[in-house]
């Protein structure tokens, strides 16, 4: 009986909100990309705020603990370093276009 319950719970967890399964580093990467696009002026301040709110709402950042939020910040800084290490401009243009299409 316990094995059946565990199997059912495991299968159900695969179908329940798979988008919420992003790690803190991946969420931080999204925030880093948002900031990079704002610095590059591909998105304005209003669009930046809207995208940040949508990301925070989708991944329920308000309900996360302090450790998780610090990991998001670390992920954001990693993305800044990656973008700063000689990424061509056309990759940043594509990144900003994808952000705009996905979140606006």
């Amino acid at each position: 009986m316990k094995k059946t319950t565990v199997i059912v719970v495991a299968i159900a967890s695969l179908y329940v909100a798979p988008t919420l399964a992003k790690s803190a580093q991946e969420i931080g990467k999204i925030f880093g990309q948002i900031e990079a696009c704002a610095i590059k002026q591909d998105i304005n301040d209003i669009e930046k705020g809207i995208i940040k709110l949508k990301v925070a709402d989708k991944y329920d950042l308000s309900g996360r603990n302090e450790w998780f939020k610090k990991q998001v910040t670390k992920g954001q800084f990693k993305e800044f370093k990656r973008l700063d290490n000689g990424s061509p401009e056309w990759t940043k243009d594509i990144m900003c276009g994808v952000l705009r299409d996905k979140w606006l």
Side-chain angles (χ1 to χ4, degrees):
M1 181 66 178
K2 287 184 181 180
K3 287 182 183 179
T4 307
T5 305
V6 170
I7 292 171
V8 169
V9 170
I11 291 172
S13 68
L14 294 174
Y15 293 105
V16 176
T19 58
L20 299 178
K22 291 236 184 234
S23 71
Q25 297 287 324
E26 291 170 330
I27 296 170
K29 181 179 177 181
I30 295 169
F31 279 112
Q33 291 172 349
I34 294 167
E35 290 295 330
C37 290
I39 290 169
K40 193 174 181 275
Q41 296 181 344
D42 274 0
I43 59 174
N44 61 32
D45 289 339
I46 294 171
E47 291 172 333
K48 174 184 159 185
I50 290 170
I51 294 171
K52 280 186 159 186
L53 286 173
K54 285 184 176 183
V55 171
D57 184 48
K58 181 175 182 176
Y59 298 113
D60 190 29
L61 292 184
S62 63
R64 302 292 181 121
N65 60 16
E66 196 63 32
W67 175 86
F68 190 87
K69 292 176 184 176
K70 287 181 182 178
Q71 294 302 312
V72 169
T73 304
K74 285 184 181 180
Q76 186 174 357
F77 289 140
K78 276 186 175 179
E79 183 64 11
F80 284 151
K81 286 180 187 175
R82 185 189 72 81
L83 292 171
D84 194 37
N85 286 337
S87 291
E89 283 299 313
W90 59 271
T91 59
K92 295 175 186 173
D93 291 338
I94 293 171
M95 174 189 69
C96 294
V98 168
L99 271 177
R100 180 174 277 134
D101 290 344
K102 183 173 183 179
W103 295 103
L104 290 179

